[in-house]
Amino acid sequence: MRGVYLLVLVLIFLTGCASTTKTPIHKIINSDIVRTKVVLLERDNVEFAYQKAAVRAFEAELLKKPVTFAIRSTFSGKEIDFVLITRKEVQKIPAEIPQEIVRIGEESDINTLIVLEPLKVNFSEGSSKRGEEFCVTRRAEVLIGAKVFETKTGNLIFGGVYEGKAKARQCSKGIRRTDELPSKDALILKALRRAAIKFAGEFWSSL
């Protein structure tokens, strides 16, 4: 049993070290303290409420320090401090240009900046009949662009598009029921969290 436990730890550690093929963020910014914030690059085709929810979901996941980071820090002997600056209102950025990145960095005293761009937030509901049962299925799918910049020059460190999906189904005999299904907003929020988890994992493994 002890051998299995040690094997699990080693696998977790190796997973956490997957980002060593690229330069860690703390080396790029030349600081053991990574100070950042999340700002929004607004899109007209996505409801603002969902864009705001995306920012909050990404902030929440970034604040969860993963076990892999703690193990990697223990093995390497180098602890990187992470500070996330949050504010009540979502801050918007007009454009992803170096001048704006540098300006926000100077105003907020941060050395990195995370820019979110919600690309797609979709919700759908469909019904089907299976024998005597009526089934209702709800689906949510989101695509969130997320980029990390260093604020001294406004250069991009890394970025990508992060997908999140959520699905729920309720079947009942004779009638169409939806009373046990999550609401549209709840399902979209679940999809946003799943996209945020993917980004946060990449961010923490890159510190």
Side-chain angles (χ1 to χ4, degrees), residues 104-200:
I104 294 176
E106 292 174 346
E107 288 181 353
S108 304
D109 188 26
I110 53 178
N111 47 28
T112 57
L113 182 69
I114 299 169
V115 178
L116 289 193
E117 184 180 9
L119 303 171
K120 181 174 73 173
V121 175
N122 281 350
F123 174 83
S124 63
E125 178 177 306
S127 302
S128 61
K129 194 172 187 299
R130 188 175 59 185
E132 297 181 358
E133 288 188 325
F134 286 92
C135 295
V136 180
T137 303
R138 290 177 177 173
R139 293 182 174 86
E141 181 180 1
V142 303
L143 288 177
I144 309 294
K147 296 178 181 177
V148 181
F149 296 86
E150 57 89 6
T151 58
K152 188 175 181 179
T153 64
N155 288 334
L156 177 68
I157 298 177
F158 78 85
V161 176
Y162 301 85
E163 182 182 49
K165 293 182 179 181
K167 183 175 76 170
R169 173 181 291 181
Q170 181 176 352
C171 297
S172 55
K173 287 187 177 181
I175 59 172
R176 182 183 185 277
R177 293 179 56 184
T178 60
D179 55 295
E180 295 180 2
L181 287 175
S183 66
K184 173 184 177 180
D185 288 349
L187 208 59
I188 289 175
L189 184 57
K190 188 174 183 178
L192 288 171
R193 282 198 297 264
R194 289 178 173 173
I197 288 170
K198 294 176 183 178
F199 171 78

Side-chain angles (χ1 to χ4, degrees), residues 14-28:
L14 291 176
T15 301
C17 289
S19 66
T20 56
T21 56
K22 58 185 178 182
T23 306
I25 292 174
H26 76 273
K27 289 187 177 180
I28 294 174

